[in-house]
Amino acid sequence: MLAEPVKGNEARGHGSPAPAVTRAAAVLDALAGCETGRLTLSDLARELGIPKSSTSNLLQALEDAELITRVGSDYALGVRLVELGAAYLSRRDEVREFYRFCEAAPVLKGETVRIAMLDGGNVIYLARYEGHPAVRLTSNIGDKMPVSLCAVGKVLVAKLHDHDLDQQFPDESPLPVLTPNSLRTGRELKEQIGAIRQQGYAFEDEESTLGVVSLAVAVPTRGSHGPSLGVSVTALKATFSDGQRDAMVAELTELTKMLGNPMG
């Protein structure tokens, strides 16, 4: 069998001192730039202008590094990029503004506040402000949490279309359980969506950690293909009140408007 021809000057990496790195970057660029976020092996081989066999080896290396992932027969960006992005975000002005806002906010300055991104059935935490030393049982930067177990997960899936919610969370599908208050089925999760959409925030009542509650508001996203981000605040159940809830939601809403899209 004859090898597939390389497309001369169109081949990505031609003339580069590190062609494999150049081609790997081209793969990530192609996946980030395509409308669906997914491309096949053939698509990527055409994009790079190199044989499928060479492209396959490159994709395997990127997959092993969790920089890309397989979705059926397609390829998509991988979760490792989020972890790298979190390290990058920690040095960006937007995240510094997040910390400055929390430090100055009358209520949030005394609580634990985080930014998270939706990743399928989980959220990944991108930044964390620690204003309440007593609340140490919550997730750190880079940690994952199932969406049904946290307020920020609920508020982010509430932005999905009902059809997508039904596909991802069938009525009888079991959900992860950490406490007696954890939601147990897809139906229970979806029963909360209407209220979340109407009130503009989500509430988690000791569903991941006993004695701890959380509120979350979604961050407005610039562009139809931007990441789905949310901000949450964690508080102790023993000191939580309706008045505190209202004050927290007001400050979270102001914070999300300021942040817009910190990854944009």
Side-chain angles (χ1 to χ4, degrees), residues 2-207:
L2 294 176
E4 298 172 60
V6 176
K7 298 179 182 178
N9 291 333
E10 294 180 11
R12 293 293 190 93
H14 179 73
S16 168
V21 175
T22 301
R23 289 166 179 163
V27 168
L28 300 179
D29 285 342
L31 291 172
C34 71
E35 185 173 350
T36 63
R38 302 178 184 180
L39 292 171
T40 65
L41 170 61
S42 296
D43 293 332
L44 290 166
R46 283 194 297 270
E47 173 70 19
L48 298 177
I50 61 176
K52 284 185 181 180
S53 57
S54 300
T55 305
S56 180
N57 290 336
L58 176 60
L59 296 178
Q60 185 61 58
L62 290 171
E63 187 178 3
D64 290 344
E66 297 185 340
L67 295 174
I68 65 173
T69 186
R70 292 196 192 203
V71 183
S73 60
D74 297 340
Y75 292 87
L77 295 176
V79 70
R80 177 64 179 152
L81 293 171
V82 178
E83 297 169 357
L84 295 172
Y88 168 70
L89 280 174
S90 69
R91 295 163 177 82
R92 285 192 55 132
D93 290 341
E94 292 91 341
V95 173
R96 291 204 268 289
E97 287 301 317
F98 161 77
Y99 288 116
R100 290 192 189 106
F101 182 97
C102 292
E103 288 167 357
V107 176
L108 296 184
K109 69 180 180 181
E111 306 297 343
T112 300
V113 190
R114 291 162 296 171
I115 302 173
M117 184 178 94
L118 185 64
D119 178 45
N122 300 295
V123 296
I124 300 176
Y125 293 100
L126 305 179
R128 168 176 169 144
Y129 167 81
E130 186 68 79
H132 200 314
V135 185
R136 292 291 185 183
L137 299 177
T138 54
S139 299
N140 294 307
I141 296 173
D143 287 350
K144 283 186 177 183
M145 177 71 76
V147 296
S148 62
L149 290 172
C150 54
V152 70
K154 294 179 188 178
V155 81
L156 291 177
V157 297
K159 296 172 64 179
L160 300 176
H161 294 297
D162 289 340
H163 173 73
D164 294 326
L165 279 170
D166 289 335
Q167 277 198 326
Q168 190 167 350
F169 304 103
D171 285 351
E172 302 306 323
S173 61
L175 299 175
V177 173
L178 290 180
T179 77
N181 287 6
S182 300
L183 301 178
R184 299 184 179 260
T185 66
R187 179 186 291 109
E188 291 181 7
L189 175 61
K190 289 183 290 186
E191 284 173 352
Q192 295 190 5
I193 296 301
I196 293 170
R197 289 170 174 168
Q198 184 174 13
Q199 64 198 17
Y201 69 89
F203 180 61
E204 181 237 316
D205 187 6
E206 299 184 279
E207 292 158 49

